[in-house]
């Protein structure tokens, strides 16, 4: 399995999608991990909506609180 680790969180969900596009190509499965700090956490609600819309696994304990 391939993995992408984002040590610096992208500023937008589009930037995140662009980065994780490197995880898997041509049907190859992979995982993406992003470290999020309180300073860049504001974009998480939008990102979680994008991930859930794409039927990706999101920690079930995550609650969108915006």
């Amino acid at each position: 399995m391939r993995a992408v680790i984002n040590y610096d969180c992208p500023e937008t969900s589009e930037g995140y999608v662009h980065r994780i596009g490197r995880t898997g190509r041509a049907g190859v499965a992979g995982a993406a991990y992003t470290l999020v700090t309180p300073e860049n956490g504001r974009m998480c609600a939008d990102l979680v909506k994008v991930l859930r819309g794409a039927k990706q696994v999101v920690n079930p304990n995550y609650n969108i609180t915006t």
Side-chain angles (χ1 to χ4, degrees):
M1 174 172 57
R2 296 179 183 190
V4 169
I5 301 172
N6 290 302
Y7 291 98
D8 60 329
C9 186
E11 302 219 0
T12 65
S13 58
E14 293 84 6
Y16 179 84
V17 171
H18 175 73
R19 285 188 190 182
I20 65 170
R22 296 181 178 95
T23 304
R25 295 278 190 233
V28 176
Y33 303 92
T34 300
L35 304 177
V36 180
T37 65
E39 290 79 25
N40 52 27
R42 67 189 181 286
M43 61 84 63
C44 287
D46 183 48
L47 177 57
V48 168
K49 290 177 188 174
V50 169
L51 292 171
R52 288 183 174 156
K55 300 190 182 344
Q56 298 300 305
V57 177
V58 176
N59 183 333
N61 295 319
Y62 179 80
N63 292 313
I64 298 174
T65 55
T66 57

